[in-house]
Amino acid sequence: MSRLRIAVQKSGRLHDDSVALLRECGIDLRNVKDRLRTESDDFPLEVFFLRDDDIPQYVEDGVADIGIVGQNVLLEKGRDVEVVQELGFGKCRLSLAVPRSESWEGVPSLEGRRIATSYPRIVGDFLARQGVRAEIHEISGSVEIAPGIGLADVVADLVSSGGTLFMNGLREVEPILQSQAVLVKNKGLDASGQRLLESLLFRIRAVKRAKRNKYVLLNAPNDRLADIVALLPGMKSPTVLPLAESGWSSVHSVLSEEEFWDRIERLKAAGAQGILVVPIEKMVL
Ligand code: PRT
Ligand code: ZN
């Protein structure tokens, strides 16, 4: 295989983040606007721009070797592809929502009711697991208007901020699925394709890790150094360098997003001063 072929959404909510991720991996793409395909000069990658609904099938059929698609679409299409990496963008949930004026008595109360959704398979499986029989009406867009026009009693739709449901007089009552964009691969990818995928994954993981972490520099009085260093994990261990002013050191380390604020407060309390926090572009372990 000379080039790895990746399927990416042509336009829509996943397009920009997908292209940005490839660019952050050092893969420059020429002319992504209004194109059906493009190639990269600096990585053996060919990009197909498609509707997200078609991506699972293209990857299953091997027309594309890999693809970026939402877990919601992947589950709905039920295609036989392998998820190789969660990408952390395109986050949303598929949720049940009812008109705000109505009470909610739980999933069993859906028995015999009409549910409008673009995700009949996921919703159907969810109801079957709960032993509830309801009428699923598949509609391809503007699901949120279905109760207002008398088409359904309840909707199951994607939600991120909740603004769309709110504006349509609906209330989110039950999450069915949490979703984000994932990288999928064709299960029969050959050895050279697999090598290219590994190299792409190596870059993606370095970019993702870097985003989750910050580089921290601070000044520490030497008599407090032991306490301060103990608060900083670092990639191996923190770097400690003497400052020009005697009795002081500069300490450099890496902190993850989750522990960040807690550690910064404890570092200050332990005597750290002049704390600088800097973004990291790539992080290779
Ligand atoms: O043309 P194509 O078929 O490729 O695109 P599309 O119109 O089918 O999909 P698109 O671009 O809208 O979404 C692509 C993917 O983005 C989805 O499959 C999800 O994986 C992911 N995603 C993340 C979302 C949302 N967030 C989202 N909020 N997809 C859709 N929405 C819609 C939702 O359907 C509702 O209409 O946004 C509205 C709700 O948003 P809030 O913020 O008001 O709650
Ligand atoms: Zn779509």
Side-chain angles (χ1 to χ4, degrees):
M1 179 180 300
S2 54
R3 284 181 179 278
L4 193 65
R5 297 158 304 166
I6 184 170
V8 166
Q9 192 187 26
K10 181 168 176 4
S11 64
R13 288 169 190 264
L14 301 183
H15 173 88
D16 288 354
D17 284 336
S18 303
V19 170
L21 175 66
L22 294 176
R23 288 196 165 130
E24 283 165 340
C25 289
I27 300 169
D28 205 16
L29 303 176
R30 288 165 286 153
N31 287 329
V32 301
K33 283 264 167 294
D34 305 318
R35 292 281 296 268
L36 296 178
R37 57 176 291 282
T38 189
E39 291 179 1
S40 169
D41 291 333
D42 35 29
F43 191 90
L45 193 74
E46 183 170 357
V47 186
F48 298 148
F49 295 106
L50 302 166
R51 286 203 56 192
D52 65 347
D53 312 68
D54 297 332
I55 291 175
Q57 180 170 4
Y58 272 76
V59 174
E60 185 190 76
D61 293 347
V63 176
D65 304 303
I66 58 174
I68 296 178
V69 68
Q71 287 166 318
N72 53 311
V73 170
L74 198 58
L75 260 178
E76 184 61 29
K77 299 296 174 192
R79 294 285 171 177
D80 192 21
V81 297
E82 185 181 329
V83 174
V84 287
Q85 177 73 46
E86 293 182 346
L87 297 175
F89 59 82
K91 285 191 174 166
C92 57
R93 53 200 184 272
L94 180 67
S95 286
L96 290 168
V98 298
R100 245 197 321 274
S101 54
E102 283 184 25
S103 61
W104 171 243
E105 310 294 338
V107 178
S109 68
L110 292 174
E111 185 75 29
R113 305 198 74 194
R114 297 167 305 162
I115 307 176
T117 187
S118 305
Y119 295 90
R121 181 183 185 129
I122 299 175
V123 174
D125 288 349
F126 172 79
L127 293 176
R129 280 199 303 276
Q130 314 257 339
V132 172
R133 276 157 309 166
E135 257 178 60
I136 297 177
H137 290 261
E138 180 177 358
I139 39 182
S140 57
S142 304
V143 169
E144 62 281 353
I145 66 168
I149 60 172
L151 194 70
D153 310 305
V154 178
V155 303
D157 199 10
L158 297 180
V159 185
S160 43
S161 69
T164 304
L165 290 182
F166 183 80
M167 288 198 328
N168 287 280
L170 300 172
R171 180 164 68 97
E172 183 179 2
V173 289
E174 181 93 23
I176 294 178
L177 172 80
Q178 299 289 333
S179 179
Q180 62 174 294
V182 289
L183 186 73
V184 294
K185 74 161 192 172
N186 173 279
K187 286 191 167 171
L189 192 62
D190 66 16
S192 67
Q194 190 61 36
R195 270 196 300 279
L196 289 177
L197 173 59
E198 293 300 334
S199 147
L200 177 63
L201 275 173
F202 179 78
R203 296 184 186 198
I204 289 176
R205 286 169 185 157
V207 168
K208 276 174 54 73
R209 200 177 292 122
K211 281 193 182 161
R212 281 199 311 271
N213 289 277
K214 301 275 182 249
Y215 194 71
V216 179
L217 303 92
L218 57 85
N219 295 329
N222 286 347
D223 55 357
R224 314 292 292 276
L225 205 51
D227 289 347
I228 289 173
V229 165
L231 287 168
L232 290 166
M235 283 176 76
K236 213 168 188 68
S237 76
T239 307
V240 179
L241 301 163
L243 285 191
E245 185 180 329
S246 72
W248 284 80
S249 298
S250 168
V251 181
H252 302 200
S253 188
V254 170
L255 274 183
S256 77
E257 218 165 53
E258 303 89 66
E259 58 189 0
F260 180 75
W261 288 111
D262 169 60
R263 290 300 164 107
I264 293 291
E265 276 175 28
R266 290 164 64 189
L267 285 165
K268 265 192 79 71
Q273 294 183 10
I275 303 174
L276 292 181
V277 179
V278 186
I280 301 172
E281 194 172 308
K282 310 274 189 305
M283 195 166 153
V284 178
L285 296 182

